[in-house]
Amino acid sequence: MVLAPLEGFKMDLSANPGFRKVFFARRCDCGTAALLSIEVEKAKTSADVRKALPSLVTALEQKAKAFDKMTCESHRAMRLGPASNGL
């Protein structure tokens, strides 16, 4: 599974201001890209993060698999939003 980290992507969408978000992109052949993320509490040490890494990776892979299971028509609807209903 290929997930591309989005370095320098700074978007503070977290409802938890004490967390850092790391973003990844998952792309489909139809041209749609999903923005996936994981959050880590800022107070966590490197050792804490290493310990949690397997579960963080699993969560990220589950998000990517959910995107992969979607049809390209669903991806199109995601890209176009409500405008896609009439097309």
Side-chain angles (χ1 to χ4, degrees):
M1 177 174 299
V2 176
L3 292 168
L6 298 174
E7 294 183 32
F9 191 77
K10 302 287 183 200
M11 202 170 172
D12 189 12
L13 296 177
S14 178
N16 304 313
F19 284 69
R20 287 194 177 103
K21 249 185 158 143
V22 181
F23 294 95
F24 297 85
R26 178 72 173 160
R27 299 191 184 281
C28 178
D29 291 338
C30 71
T32 302
L35 180 62
L36 308 175
S37 65
I38 54 174
E39 288 184 331
V40 176
E41 188 177 359
K42 288 181 182 179
K44 296 293 181 185
T45 65
S46 294
D48 293 334
V49 173
R50 278 193 295 278
K51 185 176 178 181
L53 203 52
S55 63
L56 292 171
V57 169
T58 297
L60 195 56
E61 287 175 336
Q62 288 173 342
K63 291 176 186 181
K65 286 177 184 175
F67 174 76
D68 291 347
K69 287 182 181 178
M70 296 173 72
T71 65
C72 289
E73 187 59 33
S74 294
H75 289 162
R76 180 178 174 273
M78 284 173 41
R79 278 195 323 269
L80 300 177
S84 67
N85 291 337
L87 298 178

